[in-house]
Amino acid sequence: TTHLPSGDEEKKEKERLNVLKNYDETWDAKRIFRTSSGWRECNYGDFAEQFDGILSYVQHYVKRQLHDSSTTIFALDTNSRPLFPLVVADGDKKKSNTWNSILEGIPNLNSVWVQSDNLLATGE
């Protein structure tokens, strides 16, 4: 699960896009687990790639369904809507918004829940 920054200004939409994909940083997905001596953090270890943001991480797990029939449930509070402004994120070339970036980056989402309604991929 993840929660993106709030706000409907263009600069906030750009900030959200930079969380989805950051061309300047890479990060490893980690898990937290309890041991007899306390909590520990370690890499998942089931992949060799590093991630450049939330989208690449979720894409990795969505693609796993092709290999092991697993299902990925990804909870995300985007704080974005389909009609939010299109902006160019750092390191990117085309305009987009958070909503479109998620739908394009993870095309085989089964459903999107917003507040109390289901939306179509078009945002309707």
Side-chain angles (χ1 to χ4, degrees):
T1 183
T2 192
H3 180 273
L4 299 182
S6 301
D8 60 359
E9 310 92 30
E10 284 190 25
K11 69 178 186 175
K12 289 295 186 177
E13 192 64 19
K14 187 175 179 179
E15 189 178 335
R16 284 187 285 274
L17 286 172
N18 288 336
V19 172
L20 292 179
K21 183 169 182 86
N22 188 326
Y23 291 93
D24 297 326
E25 294 183 30
T26 58
W27 53 275
D28 296 310
K30 297 184 183 270
R31 62 187 172 105
I32 299 171
F33 62 97
R34 182 126 173 101
T35 67
S36 59
S37 60
W39 291 97
R40 290 202 47 214
E41 182 180 293
C42 73
N43 290 343
Y44 275 104
D46 65 339
F47 44 81
E49 66 184 285
Q50 287 189 314
F51 302 105
D52 60 7
I54 294 167
L55 279 180
S56 62
Y57 173 75
V58 175
Q59 287 167 344
H60 170 81
Y61 283 97
V62 168
K63 288 177 189 172
R64 281 183 52 163
Q65 186 173 21
L66 302 172
H67 305 291
D68 63 14
S69 300
S70 63
T71 299
T72 298
I73 298 171
F74 176 54
L76 170 66
D77 182 351
T78 65
N79 281 313
S80 181
R81 294 188 281 285
L83 300 177
F84 270 25
L86 300 176
V87 298
V88 178
D90 294 343
D92 218 338
K93 292 183 172 111
K94 71 175 197 168
K95 286 186 172 187
S96 189
N97 61 22
T98 303
W99 182 267
N100 292 334
S101 294
I102 291 169
L103 292 179
E104 291 168 9
I106 312 169
N108 44 351
L109 284 175
N110 290 325
S111 66
V112 176
W113 181 81
V114 176
Q115 293 181 350
S116 61
D117 293 314
N118 284 309
L119 296 182
L120 301 174
T122 61
E124 298 174 25

